[in-house]
Amino acid sequence: MEVAYSFAGLVVGFIVGLTGIGGGALMTPILIVVFGIAPVVAVSTDLLYAAITKFGGMWSYARKKMVYWKVVGLLLAGSIPGSLLTLNYLKGLEALESIESLMNMTLGVSLVLTSVAVFLRNRIREKALSFEHHPLAHRARLVRPYATVLMGLLLGCLVTLSSVGAGALGTAMLILLYPRMTMPAIVGSDLVHAVVLTSIAGAGHYTMGNVDLSLLIYLLAGSLPGVFLGSHVGVRLSPKVMQPIMGSILFAIGLRFVLAG
């Protein structure tokens, strides 16, 4: 079983390196559906798994000065309280069935939203850029900081409950709010936010006794070389081919969890 966990980590890591998406969105469903791990343990362990695997990428973008720290700060101003409130709510739920039902439904919704974000990312950017010339664009820019905090609050709740949403969904929201930002800056800012958010949410779940540390180690043993291999192969593949495939997979998995809930 330990070898199977590492192999799952290798496969998911390879896909992440290949496409840049799908870490938590694939790992949590695999742990629940394939290995039969309880949703609470799967989500909690995957949060720390995501924080560790994304740290290297975050550091790389930060060193290259491709992070908008003001945007990250606004996101965290919403996502940290959102995560802490969600953790506090989970602590108040005594019935394990209630927690798992809530997590399964949130996981399904998050995966469907993520698949839509993957499919429509380029179109969202085009529409947001065209709106920049609209008469209401100036007024929209005035409320943008508040919208960013609200977006962080939503992500904080979703990610803490499902471990999904900090990647593709967060990127799509940033594209919508900040269309003039370059894609490397959007990805870098989203990565920094994701690492901090998943670390806090994962630590909160750890204090509740939900994290399986041995499972985490086996997953990392496979995923770290997987990300390295996938990133080398991924430079030869067109995003126009990979994004629809990943979007379809995430949508199908998400629908399965929504219908099961």
Side-chain angles (χ1 to χ4, degrees), residues 162-184:
S162 68
S163 76
V164 177
L169 190 56
T171 300
M173 290 181 172
L174 285 178
I175 290 172
L176 183 63
L177 290 173
Y178 300 91
R180 293 290 176 188
M181 281 175 63
T182 64
M183 276 310 299

Side-chain angles (χ1 to χ4, degrees), residues 24 27-28 41-55 159 163 194-207 210-217 219-220 223-224:
M27 183 58 78
T28 302
V41 176
V43 168
S44 304
T45 305
D46 188 54
L47 283 166
L48 290 180
Y49 165 81
I52 295 169
T53 53
K54 289 180 178 180
F55 182 80
V159 171
S163 76
V195 169
V196 177
L197 173 57
T198 52
S199 297
I200 290 172
H205 278 285
Y206 178 78
T207 62
N210 297 333
V211 176
D212 187 332
L213 289 178
S214 61
L215 171 62
L216 175 63
I217 292 169
L219 293 176
L220 289 172
S223 69
L224 294 178

Side-chain angles (χ1 to χ4, degrees), residues 1-10 35 218-219:
M1 188 61 74
E2 289 81 2
V3 175
Y5 291 150
S6 294
F7 181 73
L10 179 69
F35 295 109
Y218 290 123
L219 293 176

Side-chain angles (χ1 to χ4, degrees), residues 5 73 82 103 126 148 156 172 189 240:
Y5 291 150
M103 282 187 163
E126 290 170 7
T148 307
S189 302
K240 292 181 179 179

